[in-house]
Amino acid sequence: DQQVKQNSPSLSVQEGRISILNCDYTNSMFDYFLWYKKYPAEGPTFLISISSIKDKNEDGRFTVFLNKSAKHLSLHIVPSQPGDSAVYFCAASADAGGTSYGKLTFGQGTILTVHP
Amino acid sequence: EAEVAQSPRYKITEKSQAVAFWCDPISGHATLYWYRQILGQGPELLVQFQDESVVDDSQLPKDRFSAERLKGVDSTLKIQPAELGDSAMYLCASSPILERSDTQYFGPGTRLTVL
């Protein structure tokens, strides 16, 4: 049962344009969401996060939008740069309390390619 | 900048052999995670430590996998015997405290190939 889904395996964008990466989730207990970026031969690195009490969080060129009713979040990158080419993972966690903090459920990832 | 260290980076082994992976988290990080990432999928949590204690190993195949963090610092993940389906990237991550909003810092991973 895939609780976090990234339905687009890949996305190709021209430099300077907007990149929009999408993520859907099914578990209504999820209330904290993160995006990680992964370059080849490296581990994932944290990019941006959002709590369910918000519907938008912005950090420089990166903005994450959360639509709780649709159980959908998206990552916008504006403007896109060739260095943004990487695999992007959406992740979610649930407030199960106690020692369940920190457990992340990841999506399958989307390969973003930004062309010069 | 402090990083999570993992070794080896690559491991090729034959089915039924034993393998072990090592992780050294960022100094001072109390929480340590082991993830498995199969090609084309996202990382999946195998085990989570708080200091030297296991707080979640519900997804760890305990018949063949074991993990320890004896002194609450570095950690070892072992597979015995390895099976073909164990071929994957094994990622270690750490975070300062057991708090969900803390960023998890990942190491470069160990790529395991089982022949």
Side-chain angles (χ1 to χ4, degrees), chain A residues 26-72:
Chain A
T26 57
N27 188 341
S28 58
M29 298 300 293
F30 287 148
D31 62 352
Y32 191 73
F33 305 89
L34 308 90
W35 285 93
Y36 279 81
K37 178 170 72 173
K38 185 181 185 301
Y39 292 119
E42 294 183 12
T45 55
F46 171 75
L47 196 56
I48 192 169
S49 63
I50 188 167
S51 166
S52 61
I53 62 173
K54 297 183 177 181
D55 54 18
K56 176 182 174 181
N57 189 26
E58 190 171 354
D59 184 1
R61 297 185 297 114
F62 302 91
T63 303
V64 56
F65 295 91
L66 175 62
N67 182 333
K68 290 186 291 293
S69 60
K71 293 188 176 67
H72 176 84

Side-chain angles (χ1 to χ4, degrees), chain A residues 31-32 34 36 38 41-44 46 89 93-95 98-104 106-109, chain B residues 9-10 33 35 37 40-43 45 48 55-56 58-59 91 98-101 103-104 106-108:
Chain A
D31 62 352
Y32 191 73
L34 308 90
Y36 279 81
K38 185 181 185 301
E42 294 183 12
F46 171 75
F89 291 100
S93 70
D95 182 5
T99 58
S100 293
Y101 278 176
K103 180 175 181 177
L104 297 179
F106 284 84
Q108 312 96 305
Chain B
R9 293 292 305 274
Y10 303 92
Y33 310 83
Y35 289 87
Q37 184 185 4
Q41 299 182 20
L45 180 69
Q48 176 181 339
V55 296
D56 187 344
S58 57
Q59 300 301 312
L91 293 162
L98 189 61
E99 180 178 322
R100 64 211 300 245
S101 62
T103 299
Q104 292 186 23
F106 283 82

Side-chain angles (χ1 to χ4, degrees), chain B:
Chain B
E1 183 175 311
E3 295 180 341
V4 176
Q6 289 189 248
S7 67
R9 293 292 305 274
Y10 303 92
K11 179 69 177 178
I12 300 175
T13 190
E14 293 186 345
K15 188 175 67 170
S16 80
Q17 295 298 304
V19 292
F21 314 130
W22 177 79
C23 172
D24 191 14
I26 293 172
S27 178
H29 280 196
T31 311
L32 185 147
Y33 310 83
W34 282 102
Y35 289 87
R36 175 172 60 186
Q37 184 185 4
I38 296 170
L39 192 63
Q41 299 182 20
E44 176 190 23
L45 180 69
L46 291 175
V47 62
Q48 176 181 339
F49 288 92
Q50 173 69 14
D51 298 313
E52 67 275 7
S53 300
V54 173
V55 296
D56 187 344
D57 63 356
S58 57
Q59 300 301 312
L60 188 72
K62 298 181 188 62
D63 57 336
R64 299 185 300 108
F65 286 65
S66 64
E68 60 182 17
R69 193 184 183 198
L70 293 176
K71 297 183 179 178
V73 181
D74 59 338
S75 175
T76 302
L77 178 69
K78 297 179 181 177
I79 308 174
Q80 182 174 15
E83 296 181 352
L84 295 177
D86 296 331
S87 294
M89 175 73 82
Y90 290 82
L91 293 162
C92 178
S94 68
S95 63
I97 59 174
L98 189 61
E99 180 178 322
R100 64 211 300 245
S101 62
D102 275 336
T103 299
Q104 292 186 23
Y105 298 85
F106 283 82
T110 296
R111 170 72 66 187
L112 173 66
T113 302
V114 182
L115 303 175

